[in-house]
Amino acid sequence: MPAEVQPSVLKLAQKLGLDIEEQNNFIESLLSGTKAQSAVVITPTAPKDYTPPFSTIPTDNLWGHPSILIPNSQDQKVGSHTDYNQGYYYPLDISSVWETAALNTLHQTPRRCLDLCAAPGGKTILAQTRLHIPLHIANEVHPKRLGILRHNLKRCGFTHLYTQRLRPDQWADQAPESFDLLIVDAPCSGQSLIAKGIKNPGCFNQSVTGGNAKRQKGILLSAIQCLAPGGYLLYSTCTYAPDENEKAMAYILKRNPDIKAIDLPALKSWQSQISDFPCYRLMPHQGVGAGGFCCLLHKEGNTDNLPELSDELLAWPVAQSSITQLDE
Ligand SMILES: C[S@@+](CC[C@H](N)C(=O)[O-])C[C@H]1O[C@@H](n2cnc3c(N)ncnc32)[C@H](O)[C@@H]1O
């Protein structure tokens, strides 16, 4: 075990409600650095009845989707085919697919979605693939990442979506109670990168996880202001730290009695053992990629008519050629 991660990883493993054997499995898988596992989403750009130029298996019935496939051999370089450049499929980590399984459980297709931390676009594409939401704004605060997001959405044929680059607090001011689905795929310490063999120095340090938790709570406090009564918020991260996961959710639930965490029967076997409300953690030794966390929140009430959105908020349809042009 590399010296720099040893004590903090051990400490983390002890906090996760795992028995000793599972703690050891977790640490071993994490430090193996071999848990990257990709999936591909077949996009609207692909021809009818398209099959990728590599062999695939379907995703699990419980948390997958017919348009999301797993390359049979993980040695496949899925990004090296012309079909990838054509946008016929979008590759992402299989844990991301698992993290959006909650969207399959919504009783009605949301009318409007705000995807607050959207670049490079994986969750946006997964949400559209699962739900075909009529009005979907993919928001990204980081200008360079916004460009990548727009490029990916356009290439893959999601041209009816909109993009934006507002901070979460600006959204709270400009679009209160305006969305019946919020997706917060939060910036996090990214501990699961280690399980993929990617260096991420300091990701287990309390100062790093604590700093991320603070930012996540801020984003979430703004996000819930944008949520219409009766709406849902999907929160996810790609880290294992309870501060950024269960504790961030507990913080929101405690301050908002009208918001509840929803049971997700499809993810029952991954239910977190360290919270008294339903939320789900995927660990690298469980065979579905490097791991992550998700929780679906529901705000009580219902809204027949969502408030109108201003023209500025809808100023950047993906179909429009470039943001630079729009800025001029
Ligand atoms: C985990 S990544 C999102 C991944 C994306 N949802 C996907 O599936 O491809 C988190 C994103 O949040 C953005 N971000 C960073 N700080 C933020 C903040 N304070 N408020 C909102 N977004 C932030 C980052 O630029 C990053 O693109």
Side-chain angles (χ1 to χ4, degrees):
M1 197 185 295
E4 73 275 15
V5 288
Q6 190 173 21
S8 46
V9 170
L10 281 174
K11 215 165 148 188
L12 170 67
Q14 287 160 359
K15 281 197 225 163
L16 299 179
L18 311 173
D19 62 29
I20 293 287
E21 192 186 346
E22 241 196 316
Q23 284 181 33
N24 290 336
N25 289 341
F26 164 57
I27 294 173
E28 204 177 298
S29 307
L30 175 71
L31 300 177
S32 74
T34 60
K35 299 297 165 185
Q37 199 186 348
S38 62
V40 295
V41 186
I42 308 302
T43 71
T45 302
K48 195 170 177 297
D49 300 326
Y50 173 75
T51 51
F54 40 84
S55 71
T56 56
I57 50 171
T59 34
D60 187 280
N61 276 343
L62 283 176
W63 50 265
H65 185 275
S67 295
I68 309 173
L69 305 169
I70 304 171
N72 231 337
S73 155
Q74 289 290 319
D75 296 334
Q76 274 285 346
K77 298 244 176 307
V78 293
S80 66
H81 298 271
T82 357
D83 287 11
Y84 167 75
N85 295 321
Q86 304 264 38
Y88 291 173
Y89 56 84
Y90 184 83
L92 34 69
D93 194 278
I94 198 155
S95 304
S96 290
V97 181
W98 177 92
E99 284 165 18
T100 56
L103 298 178
N104 282 6
T105 67
L106 303 187
H107 298 307
Q108 275 184 330
T109 300
R111 291 160 286 180
R112 265 189 214 162
C113 171
L114 173 59
D115 205 341
L116 211 44
C117 314
K123 298 292 188 312
T124 313
I125 289 173
L126 287 166
Q128 271 301 323
T129 302
R130 290 186 190 275
L131 291 173
H132 305 287
I133 306 152
L135 199 159
H136 189 156
I137 306 180
N139 183 75
E140 171 56 47
V141 287
H142 193 289
K144 267 205 186 129
R145 289 176 65 86
L146 176 63
I148 296 168
L149 170 69
R150 285 180 60 86
H151 173 78
N152 285 337
L153 294 179
K154 199 168 197 175
R155 184 167 55 91
C156 295
F158 295 96
T159 44
H160 62 293
L161 271 63
Y162 295 84
T163 60
Q164 255 302 345
R165 58 179 187 198
L166 298 179
R167 295 189 313 270
D169 61 297
Q170 293 174 308
W171 274 109
D173 284 346
Q174 294 182 38
E177 300 198 335
S178 299
F179 295 88
D180 46 9
L181 178 63
L182 259 290
I183 299 176
V184 178
D185 187 31
C188 69
S189 57
Q191 293 168 344
S192 69
L193 292 179
I194 303 292
K196 296 186 197 176
I198 300 170
K199 286 203 168 73
N200 187 6
C203 66
F204 295 102
N205 290 352
Q206 180 60 43
S207 60
V208 172
T209 56
N212 275 290
K214 196 171 166 207
R215 175 165 60 168
Q216 288 147 355
K217 288 176 194 163
I219 294 173
L220 282 163
L221 287 175
S222 295
I224 56 169
Q225 293 182 55
C226 299
L227 198 58
Y232 291 86
L233 185 152
L234 177 63
Y235 178 75
S236 56
T237 72
C238 62
T239 206
Y240 315 115
D243 283 357
E244 301 181 58
N245 294 324
E246 289 88 348
K247 288 189 187 169
M249 290 293 91
Y251 174 88
I252 294 302
L253 291 170
K254 192 170 167 203
R255 278 157 188 78
N256 297 278
D258 58 337
I259 294 183
K260 300 271 179 293
I262 300 289
D263 248 322
L264 301 174
L267 302 186
K268 195 171 174 44
S269 50
W270 291 280
Q271 182 152 349
S272 170
Q273 301 302 306
I274 53 169
S275 72
D276 53 8
F277 53 85
C279 60
Y280 303 86
R281 55 164 56 243
L282 176 64
M283 305 293 281
H285 56 285
Q286 291 172 321
V288 192
F293 174 88
C294 69
C295 183
L296 184 68
L297 301 180
H298 180 234
K299 186 173 185 175
E300 65 185 34
N302 61 66
T303 309
D304 288 336
N305 297 309
L306 295 169
E308 241 179 70
L309 294 176
S310 71
D311 290 348
E312 293 86 76
L313 294 177
L314 300 176
W316 291 343
V318 170
Q320 199 126 7
S321 47
S322 85
I323 290 182
T324 329
Q325 273 179 357
L326 288 162
D327 274 344
E328 284 163 5

